[in-house]
Amino acid sequence: MAQLSRRQVLAGAFGSVAAMALAACDSGGDDSGKSDNLSANRVGAMDKYAIGDQFKATEALSFPIMLLSSTSYPYKSDWLFWSELTKRTNVTLQPTVIPASDYNQKRSVMVSGGDAPFIIPKTYHPDEEAYIAGGAILPVSDYIDLMPNYKDQITRWNMKADLDTYKASDGKYYLLPGLHEDVWLDYSLAVRTDVLQQLGLQTPSTWDDVANMLRAMKQLNPADYPMSDRWSHNPPDAPAGNLLGIVSAAYGTQAGWAYQNHTWDESAGKFVLTGTMDRYKQMVQFLNTLVSEKLLDPESFTQQDDQARQKFANGKSLVMSCNAQTLVNECRKDIAKLPGATVTKIPVPMGPMGATKPGVVRLENGVMISKKARDSKNFVAMMQFIDWLYYSDAGKVFAKWGVEGTTYTGKVDDGSFKLASDVNWGGLNPSGTKSLQVEYGFFNGVFVYGGSTKLLNSQFPAEEQKFQEVMNGRKARPVPPPAPLNADEREQASLWATAIKDYVTQQTVKFILGQRPLSEWDTYVGELKAKNAQQYIDLVNKAYERAKKNG
């Protein structure tokens, strides 16, 4: 359920399509001047493929792809998505289907062993870095001249600073991310609005407001915790992942799903160890206050989602993390049996950073390409296909909404879009009896990445669009500068990073739950240093200074 990641790429003027196809790809941010003759790898490729063109292979092709099978919409071989994709592109995908629970582990084994399919989606940065030194994946930035839609978006949306943070020390990047036109946020808190009305309270706008709201709710049911949260097991190493993520952002640091060992300190002009920041300590103190006053259920950091949902469903808790989909598909359904109960997703509460939002969420998970794909006679066609499906307007509308006249009507770009009368997704058409994802295979997270704000808004009902309007009114903070490690540094950092992250996570929960007093904070900082935390942050800053010097 997580979110959040990095950015950039350079764009030059588009040369002729013929020159683009034949040659070496200016890497869109890489200054290596690499020349790469692709004349033997053009079988099935279009001779002229440009922005907005419908890609269609000149002969029937098939490409192997790694496919995560979601528990919410398990893989089906007869989805309309597959047949319609082949009809439009003359390409058949050959999926290696992997359950969501095993995806990361099996991907690692297959990529490291050289057995991965050509197309490896659903990869979150910096996971791709583990495969660079072994040469298992392609430096995709060398080939973006084959992808006119991708290249156009990074130019028009000014994503250089974003993609710079994906670059390795060789100046290349190895993951094609989903690109968002604007910074956008989805995850926040679901709050029982009927209880707010009962208490005469306004929707909270800051975390201090949230604390006061919880105190008022506590008076209604003194024996219960007004907030009992979910998402402590997805991933398993980020307890209360969303809650810590959104609170930490308000304090100008990173925790939960958003956690990284290093955070850019603009005032200091360097990276600092996240878990020792004063802002991080302030975040911990705030959450500790909620727990100590019995406003936040301590089980929020350990319980399964079903337990949190059950407490919300029976009215024992009144606040819980959510996103746009879970608000409609879970929260509202869960409280349906409570007379008069209503719930909404509130705008993400603000904190010391004010009306701002992190500037690092214009990129999302993306696609790695196996190194062996480069030797395929169909390589150019495959890159054109990926460009159409993941980055063209038509490809993204297809992957997201399906087939006009079957799963939807109207157009996304003129506001006339509507789901077909019998199709539903995310509560957008509650009377629909067929799930766009389960029955048809569209809106699959393997293929739906990024896009324009207009396309993004097409998936939201009016209520969610109002939420987005509030969030869009907040200023995005600057993207941190790049600090790419070289192969030796990455190997050394990996020996330290996991231990540092695990210890920060463990001690954070202990401080929040009161299992360790905050008076021991300085001792904790010393314990982190004993785990090579200072050496780690020195390594990151060395890489930053090198990248700054090299421009």
Side-chain angles (χ1 to χ4, degrees):
M1 311 291 288
Q3 57 182 352
L4 292 151
S5 259
R6 321 276 200 233
R7 349 297 157 206
Q8 164 352 108
V9 114
L10 192 154
F14 285 91
S16 70
V17 176
M20 172 195 76
L22 281 173
C25 307
D26 174 309
S27 64
D30 165 35
D31 297 324
S32 65
K34 175 181 170 69
S35 179
D36 199 347
N37 189 345
L38 295 169
S39 59
N41 308 93
R42 297 185 48 79
V43 176
M46 294 173 63
D47 289 334
K48 295 183 178 180
Y49 173 65
I51 300 167
D53 286 350
Q54 169 63 55
F55 169 77
K56 191 156 191 176
T58 59
E59 62 180 65
L61 301 177
S62 63
F63 299 127
I65 185 171
M66 193 174 295
L67 188 88
L68 180 150
S69 181
S70 171
T71 54
S72 300
Y73 42 92
Y75 162 80
K76 293 181 181 178
S77 61
D78 61 351
W79 274 337
L80 177 62
F81 174 88
W82 303 119
S83 58
E84 186 67 23
L85 182 65
T86 300
K87 177 181 175 182
R88 296 188 185 201
T89 65
N90 209 18
V91 168
T92 300
L93 290 177
Q94 299 174 313
T96 296
V97 182
I98 303 173
S101 58
D102 297 331
Y103 190 78
N104 287 355
Q105 180 180 2
K106 290 193 175 181
R107 181 191 62 199
S108 179
V109 170
M110 294 177 74
V111 174
S112 299
D115 300 322
F118 284 2
I119 305 172
I120 311 164
K122 209 63 180 175
T123 299
Y124 289 85
H125 178 75
D127 290 356
E128 80 279 7
E129 293 180 352
Y131 313 115
I132 295 175
I137 58 174
L138 205 65
V140 289
S141 58
D142 279 346
Y143 300 95
I144 68 166
D145 278 346
L146 299 175
M147 305 177 68
N149 292 290
Y150 174 85
K151 196 170 182 180
D152 175 59
Q153 286 175 12
I154 59 179
T155 303
R156 285 191 293 113
W157 297 346
N158 192 27
M159 303 194 75
K160 173 174 171 36
D162 301 75
L163 280 163
D164 268 342
T165 60
Y166 273 33
K167 284 184 178 179
S169 60
D170 59 6
K172 307 174 190 288
Y173 57 91
Y174 292 74
L175 179 70
L176 289 168
L179 307 176
H180 284 282
E181 180 179 6
D182 295 309
V183 173
W184 73 284
L185 299 173
D186 181 12
Y187 289 73
S188 186
L189 299 179
V191 175
R192 283 276 302 276
T193 44
D194 60 309
V195 177
L196 286 185
Q197 293 174 1
Q198 179 183 350
L199 293 169
L201 297 176
Q202 300 295 316
T203 300
S205 61
T206 68
W207 283 106
D208 286 342
D209 292 341
V210 170
N212 288 330
M213 174 191 72
L214 295 175
R215 292 181 181 110
M217 289 176 166
K218 180 72 174 178
Q219 293 179 5
L220 288 179
N221 301 293
D224 296 328
Y225 295 97
M227 181 173 182
S228 187
D229 212 21
R230 62 183 307 176
W231 290 330
S232 280
H233 296 274
N234 190 9
D237 61 348
N242 176 62
L243 179 61
L244 266 67
I246 58 179
V247 176
S248 65
Y251 279 82
T253 184
Q254 304 174 102
W257 286 340
Y259 179 81
Q260 294 187 60
N261 280 326
H262 55 279
T263 296
W264 177 248
D265 186 330
E266 190 170 4
S267 61
K270 63 180 181 179
F271 287 92
V272 297
L273 195 69
T274 303
T276 63
M277 296 174 69
D278 286 341
R279 295 173 182 176
Y280 195 92
K281 181 181 180 182
Q282 292 167 14
M283 174 207 72
V284 169
Q285 288 175 317
F286 172 77
L287 290 169
N288 170 259
T289 296
L290 297 188
V291 172
S292 64
E293 293 186 22
K294 299 186 177 179
L295 306 176
L296 174 63
D297 187 352
E299 293 184 354
S300 298
F301 298 86
T302 57
Q303 67 189 351
Q304 298 289 333
D305 285 7
D306 286 347
Q307 293 173 282
R309 288 181 60 188
Q310 183 58 43
K311 292 173 183 177
F312 194 75
N314 61 26
K316 290 182 71 66
S317 73
L318 305 170
V319 180
M320 182 174 68
S321 283
C322 77
N323 60 25
Q325 288 194 58
T326 60
L327 174 71
V328 175
N329 295 337
E330 298 177 358
C331 297
R332 287 195 172 136
K333 290 181 179 179
D334 289 346
I335 64 171
K337 294 182 180 179
L338 298 177
T342 56
V343 61
T344 195
K345 184 177 78 167
I346 66 170
V348 180
M350 296 177 289
M353 298 302 290
T356 63
K357 52 189 175 183
V360 292
V361 285
R362 284 211 296 165
L363 304 185
E364 61 172 295
N365 67 90
V367 180
M368 294 190 297
I369 305 296
S370 171
K371 187 71 172 290
K372 62 187 179 184
R374 169 60 186 79
D375 298 326
S376 166
K377 64 182 181 180
N378 308 127
F379 175 69
V380 173
M382 187 186 79
M383 297 304 287
Q384 292 176 345
F385 167 77
I386 290 172
D387 180 68
W388 179 83
L389 179 59
Y390 286 97
Y391 300 103
S392 76
D393 291 344
K396 283 185 284 197
V397 170
F398 164 73
K400 181 168 281 195
W401 295 123
V403 181
E404 185 176 2
T406 301
T407 58
Y408 74 93
T409 60
K411 304 292 183 184
V412 167
D413 56 5
D414 66 6
S416 62
F417 166 82
K418 290 194 303 184
L419 283 172
S421 60
D422 60 343
V423 176
N424 188 26
W425 177 86
L428 202 59
N429 181 28
S431 62
T433 57
K434 297 178 181 177
S435 166
L436 183 70
Q437 295 170 309
V438 175
E439 273 81 20
Y440 295 101
F442 297 105
F443 226 114
N444 188 310
V446 172
F447 303 106
V448 176
Y449 296 163
S452 67
T453 299
K454 185 171 287 187
L455 178 63
L456 179 69
N457 286 340
S458 71
Q459 73 190 64
F460 299 141
E463 176 187 24
E464 178 63 17
Q465 290 193 29
K466 290 180 180 178
F467 172 90
Q468 293 297 333
E469 287 176 9
V470 173
M471 300 310 300
N472 289 339
R474 300 181 186 178
K475 183 180 179 180
R477 301 195 287 272
V479 174
L485 304 177
N486 62 36
D488 291 339
E489 290 168 339
R490 191 181 304 115
E491 182 178 1
Q492 181 61 73
S494 67
L495 298 176
W496 298 330
T498 299
I500 294 170
K501 177 182 178 180
D502 288 348
Y503 197 72
V504 170
T505 300
Q506 293 164 7
Q507 298 307 306
T508 296
V509 173
K510 286 185 177 181
F511 281 127
I512 291 172
L513 296 182
Q515 296 170 354
R516 184 172 189 178
L518 281 162
S519 59
E520 293 186 9
W521 184 264
D522 290 343
T523 302
Y524 149 75
V525 170
E527 291 163 354
L528 271 180
K529 290 181 178 179
K531 295 183 180 295
N532 300 299
Q534 189 60 52
Q535 291 94 318
Y536 170 87
I537 206 66
D538 288 345
L539 200 64
V540 172
N541 280 311
K542 177 184 175 183
Y544 158 67
E545 292 292 343
R546 182 175 62 234
K548 184 173 68 171
K549 180 179 179 181
N550 294 337

